[in-house]
Amino acid sequence: MDNSQTEGRKLSRRRLLAGTAGVAAASAFGGSLLAPSTASAAWDGYGLQIVERNENGGRLQYYRFATSAIGWNPAVNVLLPDGYHTSGKRYPVLYLLHGGAEDFRTFHMHHNIIGLTAGRELIVVMPDAATGWYSNPVSSNTGARNWETFHMAQLLPWIDANFRTFAEYNGRAVAGFSMGGFGALKYTAKYYGHFCSVSAHSGPASLRRDFGLVVHWANASSAAVELGGGTVYGAPFWDEARVSADNPMQRIESYRNKRIFLVAGTSPDPVNWFDTVNETQVLAGQREFRAALAGAGIPHEWREEPGGHFFRQHIFTQDLNGMLARLRRAG
């Protein structure tokens, strides 16, 4: 039996004991056993130790973890659907990934994720990723920064163990903005059986075009913000195997039989070099990726919209409709 199975059985046993205690308490006080008014308290597991939490009767739940994968304590917001606490249903899950130099609060504080998902039967998981490019870096001078391990080996099974999810291919979607859009494309290809729907909102889809401009940017931004001079892919020489493994353009067959949704801006701000460089590269890379998908006969949806490198809420609403049509329905 592997460690994840052992952890899962421990969690199940804890819940069984907690449930038994709850029945006894209700009987002792002469009360009836009612559905809980809040989500059940989450447990440690899968390498995650909860060090802060805000579990409540509302939709937005907060957790912060100690983990050996990351040298500081990363956090996650879990947005529950309306009625979760009393419905008894299981729900599909969207992993929603933020851009560089943002954090787990971005979609809640700046992009109205609570309003955009109101009335939709979907759990939304929004984890920290710093400016780590959803990767385990080649080098770090600031301690462990293994974001891929944290997200895929720890957080994903922890979510399935602690919330009423469909822990299966048709129960999960992943989407992201900018660096998070790349992360969504990367995780979908590398972990083929985990996500049935992937969406990249202004996310780069080609690492090697223009002499590897996106790889250079990932190295430079992670070195400056996250890794204390270390890099995601190695410098001055890349770890070529890692680049190839993470490059959507080199994993085309890994997108077969999935829902794919791509968004890019067509007119970045000409006086803002950051906006121009980012979205010009995103647009060119997504067009290259779309051509490769079409050449392989892999269906996909795409939008090209006026403007530059920003999150488009009205397009995300369209994306949500498509996700829910593809995902297993709550029940």
Side-chain angles (χ1 to χ4, degrees):
M1 181 183 299
D2 63 24
N3 289 337
S4 64
Q5 290 174 312
T6 302
E7 293 277 9
R9 291 193 175 184
K10 288 179 180 177
L11 288 169
S12 296
R13 177 167 175 75
R14 287 171 184 169
R15 286 209 174 99
L16 178 60
L17 292 173
T20 302
V23 173
S27 299
F29 287 94
S32 60
L33 186 64
L34 301 176
S37 60
T38 61
S40 299
W43 301 92
D44 297 343
Y46 302 94
L48 301 178
Q49 179 185 358
I50 302 169
V51 295
E52 292 179 12
R53 69 174 82 205
N54 183 2
E55 294 170 310
N56 53 74
R59 293 183 59 200
L60 193 66
Q61 315 292 306
Y62 156 78
Y63 302 91
R64 188 172 293 278
F65 306 104
T67 167
S68 61
I70 307 296
W72 52 278
N73 296 341
V76 63
N77 271 339
V78 180
L79 183 60
L80 302 174
D82 296 303
Y84 176 90
H85 302 291
T86 56
S87 72
K89 291 182 178 180
R90 292 193 174 274
Y91 296 88
V93 182
L94 165 62
Y95 287 82
L96 187 55
L97 310 181
H98 68 71
E102 299 177 341
D103 64 23
F104 74 102
R105 300 167 298 178
T106 294
F107 291 100
H108 164 46
M109 295 178 66
H110 303 295
H111 300 314
N112 188 34
I113 190 64
I114 293 177
L116 293 175
T117 57
R120 298 176 185 271
E121 293 193 311
L122 180 72
I123 295 171
V124 184
V125 178
M126 297 165 283
D128 266 329
T131 304
W133 286 83
Y134 297 89
S135 297
N136 294 347
V138 167
S139 62
S140 170
N141 297 319
T142 54
R145 294 293 188 272
N146 296 313
W147 291 106
E148 186 172 341
T149 295
F150 170 59
H151 295 140
M152 300 306 300
Q154 297 181 330
L155 183 63
L156 188 147
W158 182 88
I159 290 290
D160 285 336
N162 283 285
F163 296 90
R164 297 194 309 274
T165 69
F166 294 121
E168 61 185 58
Y169 176 73
N170 288 322
R172 300 190 197 99
V174 60
F177 168 68
S178 190
M179 180 189 79
F182 164 74
L185 290 171
K186 167 187 168 169
Y187 284 167
T188 296
K190 291 186 75 173
Y191 301 88
Y192 182 84
H194 284 63
F195 305 104
C196 69
S197 176
V198 57
S199 310
H201 292 256
S202 288
S206 178
L207 295 185
R208 294 185 181 274
R209 66 172 294 109
D210 296 333
F211 306 101
L213 182 60
V214 175
V215 175
H216 289 304
W217 178 246
N219 277 341
S221 59
S222 63
V225 179
E226 173 73 354
L227 301 175
T231 64
V232 169
Y233 291 113
F237 303 106
W238 300 347
D239 184 324
E240 295 290 350
R242 290 197 186 199
V243 175
S244 296
D246 288 1
N247 187 6
M249 275 300 302
Q250 293 179 260
R251 303 295 297 267
I252 295 299
E253 281 301 316
S254 296
Y255 298 96
R256 195 172 294 280
N257 300 319
K258 297 178 182 292
R259 174 186 174 269
I260 304 163
F261 190 90
L262 305 166
V263 183
T266 58
S267 53
D269 184 348
V271 299
N272 183 333
W273 71 269
F274 182 84
D275 192 58
T276 297
V277 171
N278 266 285
E279 205 64 11
T280 298
Q281 186 63 207
V282 163
L283 179 61
Q286 286 197 9
R287 285 176 173 175
E288 181 185 1
F289 183 58
R290 282 158 35 195
L293 291 172
I298 298 176
H300 55 282
E301 300 176 64
W302 56 272
R303 305 285 189 275
E304 291 186 1
E305 286 274 313
H309 196 69
F310 57 86
F311 184 74
R312 295 162 169 83
Q313 292 187 15
H314 69 289
I315 298 295
F316 182 70
T317 299
Q318 297 174 26
D319 187 19
L320 278 172
N321 292 335
M323 287 180 210
L324 288 167
R326 176 63 182 84
L327 288 161
R328 182 171 174 180
R329 299 182 68 174

